[in-house]
């Protein structure tokens, strides 16, 4: 099994501190030999480590603008959350025009794709042909989390592609008609607020191949647009999305679009984990729709964004309100926007394939844990004493990685040396 | 392998701790998702019962090569009418408990639904011992 991850480490910048291991929701990072190491099987590319790394050593393998040279016709697809990176006085239309100024031939709003997905969601829920509670699939970090940790709930997941993929499909169709070019000549670039979206383009879970050609980080796009945004004259009429699509950038936006009255909108990866546990227990059976966003405030809180999630979220409310009467009704095309392949849960190996042996290892793990200081200090490079005990049993670490155990050993050794020396002295007399 | 948990009868914020802890044990042991789900649901219901009806107690969870059995023991008032208690929607929980979102009368029926076997030893004044078994 190969794992592609967009979150990687710049080892030169990593100081080997414990910030990232403390904040990783899937305990996917260890510090080994003074550098952070990502355990590929566990990472879901949520980007929490990017947020907390003070050395900026966690980076995203996004694409750069030179990739536009590979295509004859380039379309920028900003996520609706991108609008929140600018003051509210700057209109969506102006932001879209800025993409033309920096070298794109056209723009296609992901918010438009979101409106199509909302229409298809309403259709699918109305058909009754879907298991409840319906769990949204728009956040790719959550989808990966479910595949790893909650495979039993995959049957409840809304099997529609993300607004980004829907937008890319529509953008390509429009561009083919307009230019007469073929798909290989058309570049479709997503302006991404998060690493999970980048991963979902490079290694999609629900399609054989993504319709998006590349992902440009919000940070990189912002750096190009910020200096020119105030000087744009002769704006072309480019903005077409409305309230519903833009509101998707906030937590709760997808719920609103689902047309369902009884819903839960969960944001922040730790809240998502807790609610998924509750669903797994069968405690949230009566709710119709559950939206799960790994980031606080939804996509407007994406780790590649610049503006604070709450300020960004307010801006989304303002921007969407300004466009409340513009959007045309969208055709619900469930067939077109359905997943092209199912997401299958990953079978995780326990401590051992053999249950008896796994239980022996578990007992060993408990014994080890009792000897550890239970401070969860992270000095050993694991996020908690429990995680270290598991790592030792799995053969990835040793007891001496714990500095408290190490200190005890040194003390014991010093005492032995002292006693040995004393015995020499005694025999010399 | 046996895991033991104390179940406090006073603190509702701790409700579900034993089942959540045992769930992660089962996941680490590589037990299939479906079995883990069934054990967790049944165990959670039994844990809540031990708190709201039994006033707390103890839980002993055993994993054997062919089955998982979990026993909850409390010194509460016992179940007066087991037949009624097994009916969906029947509950003796107080209004206060219901306000907290518990006591819907689905506890025992749900435990039965998700397990392969369920043994109850109870009598008024004697407390309740419930064992749930899920075959592997």
């Amino acid at each position: 099994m190969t794992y592609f991850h967009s979150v990687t480490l710049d080892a030169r910048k990593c100081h080997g501190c414990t910030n990232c291991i403390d904040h990783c929701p899937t305990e996917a990072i260890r510090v080994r030999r003074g550098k952070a190491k990502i355990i590929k099987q566990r990472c879901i590319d949520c980007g929490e480590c990017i947020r907390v790394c003070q050395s900026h050593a966690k980076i995203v393998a996004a694409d750069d603008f030179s990739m536009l040279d590979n295509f004859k016709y380039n379309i920028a697809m900003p996520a609706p959350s991108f609008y929140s990176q600018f003051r509210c006085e700057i209109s969506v239309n102006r932001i879209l025009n800025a993409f033309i100024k920096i070298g794109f031939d056209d723009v296609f709003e992901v918010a438009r794709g979101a409106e199509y997905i909302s229409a298809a969601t309403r259709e699918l829920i109305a058909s009754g042909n879907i298991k409840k509670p319906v769990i949204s699939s728009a956040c790719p970090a959550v989808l990966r989390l479910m595949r790893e940790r909650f495979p039993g709930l995959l049957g409840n997941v809304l099997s529609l592609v993300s607004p980004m993929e829907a937008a890319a499909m529509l953008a390509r169709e429009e561009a083919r008609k307009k230019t007469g070019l073929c798909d290989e000549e058309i570049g479709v670039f997503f302006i991404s607020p998060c690493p999970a979206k980048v991963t979902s383009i490079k290694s999609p879970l629900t399609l054989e191949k993504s319709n998006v050609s590349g992902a440009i980080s919000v940070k990189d796009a912002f750096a190009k647009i910020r200096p020119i945004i105030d000087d744009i004259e002769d704006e072309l009429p480019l903005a077409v999305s409305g309230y519903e699509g833009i509101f998707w950038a906030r937590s709760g936006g997808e719920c609103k679009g689902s047309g369902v009255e009884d819903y839960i909108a969960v944001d922040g990866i730790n809240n998502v984990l807790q609610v998924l546990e509750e669903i797994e227990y069968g405690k949230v059976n009566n709710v119709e729709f559950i939206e799960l966003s790994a980031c606080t405030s939804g996509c407007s809180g994406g780790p590649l964004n610049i503006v604070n999630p709450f300020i960004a979220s307010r801006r989304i409310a303002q921007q969407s309100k300004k466009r409340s009467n513009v959007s045309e009704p969208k055709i619900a095309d469930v067939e077109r926007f359905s997943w092209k392949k199912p997401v299958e849960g990953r079978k995780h190996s326990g401590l051992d394939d053999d249950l008896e042996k796994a239980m022996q290892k578990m007992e060993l793990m408990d014994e080890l844990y009792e000897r550890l200081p239970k401070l969860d200090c992270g000095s050993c490079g694991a996020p908690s004493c429990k995680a270290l005990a598991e790592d030792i049993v799995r053969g990835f670490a040793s007891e001496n990685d714990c500095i408290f155990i190490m200190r005890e050993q040194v003390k014991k050794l010093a005492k032995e040396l002292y006693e040995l020396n004393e015995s020499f002295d005694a025999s010399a007399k | 392998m046996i895991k033991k948990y104390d179940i406090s009868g006073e603190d509702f914020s701790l409700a579900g701790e034993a089942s959540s802890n045992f769930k992660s044990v089962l996941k680490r042991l590589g037990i299939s998702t479906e079995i883990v789900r069934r054990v967790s649901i049944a165990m959670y219901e039994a844990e809540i019962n031990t708190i709201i009806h039994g006033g707390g107690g103890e839980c002993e969870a055993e994993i054997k090569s062919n089955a998982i059995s979990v026993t909850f023991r409390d010194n509460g008032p016992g179940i007066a009418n087991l037949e009624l208690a097994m009916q969906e929607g029947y509950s003796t929980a107080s209004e206060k408990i219901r306000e907290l979102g518990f006591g819907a009368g689905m506890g025992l029926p749900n435990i039965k639904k998700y397990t392969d076997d369920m043994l109850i030893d109870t009598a008024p004044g004697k407390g309740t011992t419930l064992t749930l078994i899920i075959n592997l």
Side-chain angles (χ1 to χ4, degrees):
Chain A
M1 180 68 74
T2 56
Y3 297 89
F4 171 85
H5 286 294
S6 60
V7 178
T8 53
L9 182 83
D10 182 346
R12 290 166 307 168
K13 287 186 179 169
C14 178
H15 292 155
C17 74
T18 58
N19 273 335
C20 60
I21 59 173
D22 267 352
H23 287 87
C24 175
T26 58
E27 298 196 332
I29 314 174
R30 298 290 183 274
V31 176
R32 293 274 175 266
R33 296 168 194 268
K35 301 284 175 195
K37 190 174 173 293
I38 301 169
I39 304 168
K40 293 195 163 178
Q41 292 90 320
R42 292 189 185 173
C43 173
I44 55 166
D45 286 308
C46 64
E48 286 301 309
C49 54
I50 296 177
R51 235 187 266 280
V52 298
C53 180
Q54 289 173 356
S55 318
H56 308 294
K58 288 286 190 328
I59 46 174
V60 179
D63 298 304
D64 59 53
F65 284 93
S66 66
M67 203 178 156
L68 270 67
D69 299 339
N70 301 347
F71 303 93
K72 286 189 178 153
Y73 191 80
N74 288 300
I75 307 164
M77 287 204 324
S81 58
F82 189 70
Y83 309 152
S84 67
Q85 303 303 295
F86 300 89
R87 330 185 281 282
C88 293
E89 302 81 67
I90 298 174
S91 71
V92 168
N93 198 59
R94 175 171 283 260
I95 296 166
L96 297 174
N97 270 268
F99 281 100
I100 307 294
K101 290 276 179 240
I102 64 168
F104 285 93
D105 300 294
D106 205 349
V107 286
F108 194 101
E109 293 178 78
V110 173
R112 270 176 84 188
E115 285 166 6
Y116 278 92
I117 295 303
S118 285
T121 304
R122 290 192 290 269
E123 178 84 4
L124 205 54
I125 291 176
S127 76
N129 202 8
I130 187 165
K131 207 169 152 191
K132 287 187 182 167
V134 178
I135 301 173
S136 74
S137 59
C139 175
V142 171
L143 198 56
R144 275 172 205 269
L145 176 73
M146 291 185 64
R147 185 177 65 151
E148 303 297 332
R149 299 266 292 269
F150 303 93
L153 298 177
L154 286 169
N156 293 57
V157 175
L158 186 70
S159 55
L160 295 173
V161 297
S162 65
M164 173 189 79
E165 287 295 344
M169 285 158 83
L170 296 159
R172 283 188 177 279
E173 187 184 62
E174 267 190 24
R176 282 192 306 262
K177 275 188 198 150
K178 197 163 147 188
T179 64
L181 294 169
C182 66
D183 265 336
E184 287 70 36
E185 295 167 311
I186 301 167
V188 176
F189 290 89
F190 179 60
I191 314 303
S192 184
C194 76
K197 286 275 185 214
V198 179
T199 304
S200 81
I201 293 166
K202 312 280 175 195
S203 174
L205 287 183
T206 63
L207 299 166
E208 290 304 331
K209 187 179 179 293
S210 172
N211 296 288
V212 185
S213 319
I216 290 167
S217 138
V218 162
K219 282 194 168 96
D220 293 344
F222 185 83
K224 279 210 168 213
I225 288 177
R226 178 69 201 84
I228 60 150
I229 193 86
D230 291 321
D231 307 325
I232 296 168
E233 285 165 19
D234 313 322
E235 283 181 34
L236 299 162
L238 296 173
V240 277
S241 69
Y243 177 88
E244 185 178 280
I246 298 174
F247 211 75
W248 264 70
R250 273 176 68 128
S251 172
E254 187 186 359
C255 285
K256 275 201 171 179
S258 73
V260 161
E261 277 180 24
D262 183 17
Y263 59 75
I264 310 177
V266 187
D267 61 333
I269 191 73
N270 289 316
N271 290 327
V272 168
L273 272 164
Q274 279 173 20
V275 171
L276 284 171
E277 290 273 347
E278 303 256 325
I279 304 171
E280 206 174 42
Y281 274 136
K283 285 196 274 179
V284 257
N285 282 334
N286 301 323
V287 183
E288 281 203 78
F289 190 82
I290 300 174
E291 176 190 318
L292 304 168
S293 315
C295 297
T296 301
S297 294
C299 298
S300 50
L304 303 181
N305 285 341
I306 292 146
V307 172
N308 171 280
F310 294 91
I311 293 168
S313 185
R314 180 250 169 190
R315 287 179 178 175
I316 288 297
Q318 298 288 317
Q319 292 285 24
S320 53
K321 208 157 79 186
K322 276 195 246 171
R323 301 197 54 81
S324 46
N325 301 317
V326 290
S327 188
E328 81 275 20
K330 298 290 185 291
I331 310 144
D333 197 340
V334 173
E335 171 83 33
R336 182 176 191 189
F337 298 120
S338 283
W339 288 356
K340 300 297 175 269
K341 61 175 186 185
V343 178
E344 274 163 26
R346 200 166 263 163
K347 166 95 179 71
H348 270 272
S349 50
L351 293 168
D352 201 289
D353 287 342
D354 180 84
L355 182 59
E356 285 296 326
K357 283 186 188 148
M359 285 197 274
Q360 282 166 14
K361 286 184 181 175
M362 187 85 207
E363 271 162 15
L364 188 62
M365 201 179 118
D366 289 345
E367 274 171 43
L368 275 164
Y369 177 66
E370 284 310 313
R371 287 209 293 277
L372 295 171
K374 302 180 189 68
L375 293 172
D376 296 343
C377 68
S379 302
C380 61
S384 65
C385 294
K386 269 223 167 78
L388 176 64
E390 186 173 345
D391 285 354
I392 295 170
V393 170
R394 285 184 186 267
F396 304 136
S398 90
E399 239 178 296
N400 285 340
D401 287 330
C402 171
I403 56 165
F404 294 91
I405 288 191
M406 186 66 156
R407 204 164 63 176
E408 285 303 313
Q409 302 276 29
V410 170
K411 226 191 247 174
K412 209 173 117 200
L413 199 64
K415 194 171 164 249
E416 277 170 15
L417 280 175
Y418 177 79
E419 282 167 5
L420 189 65
N421 188 44
E422 287 289 290
S423 70
F424 279 146
D425 286 349
S427 60
K429 274 173 194 167
Chain B
M1 180 177 171
I2 296 173
K3 289 270 172 191
K4 287 182 180 172
Y5 305 99
D6 279 331
I7 296 164
S8 153
E10 281 128 38
D11 194 348
F12 272 95
S13 70
L14 297 177
E17 213 176 51
S19 42
S20 161
N21 188 303
F22 193 59
K23 181 176 167 184
S24 67
V25 168
L26 295 180
K27 281 191 174 181
R28 277 209 176 81
L29 290 176
I31 306 281
S32 81
T33 323
E34 190 43 33
I35 299 274
V36 175
R37 200 177 76 91
R38 287 170 57 206
V39 174
S40 315
I41 296 176
M43 220 179 135
Y44 178 79
E45 296 284 5
E47 192 176 345
I48 296 297
N49 277 349
T50 306
I51 297 169
I52 62 179
H53 299 293
E58 55 184 30
C59 166
E60 204 174 285
E62 185 174 12
I63 308 153
K64 287 177 286 195
S65 58
N66 59 350
I68 292 167
S69 73
V70 189
T71 300
F72 289 85
R73 220 170 273 118
D74 69 53
N75 294 312
I79 303 169
N81 189 333
L82 194 56
E83 207 178 313
L84 268 179
M86 287 307 299
Q87 281 177 19
E88 288 189 10
Y90 177 82
S91 176
T92 56
S94 67
E95 201 51 45
K96 205 176 141 199
I97 297 288
R98 284 166 192 261
E99 274 169 18
L100 289 167
F102 301 106
M106 290 304 292
L108 289 175
N110 256 344
I111 297 171
K112 193 161 177 61
K113 185 175 155 194
Y114 286 101
T115 55
D116 292 307
D117 209 351
M118 182 175 100
L119 315 165
I120 300 182
D121 181 14
T122 184
K126 198 182 114 181
T128 301
T129 299
L130 178 142
T131 301
L132 54 95
I133 295 165
I134 288 169
N135 296 329
L136 288 179

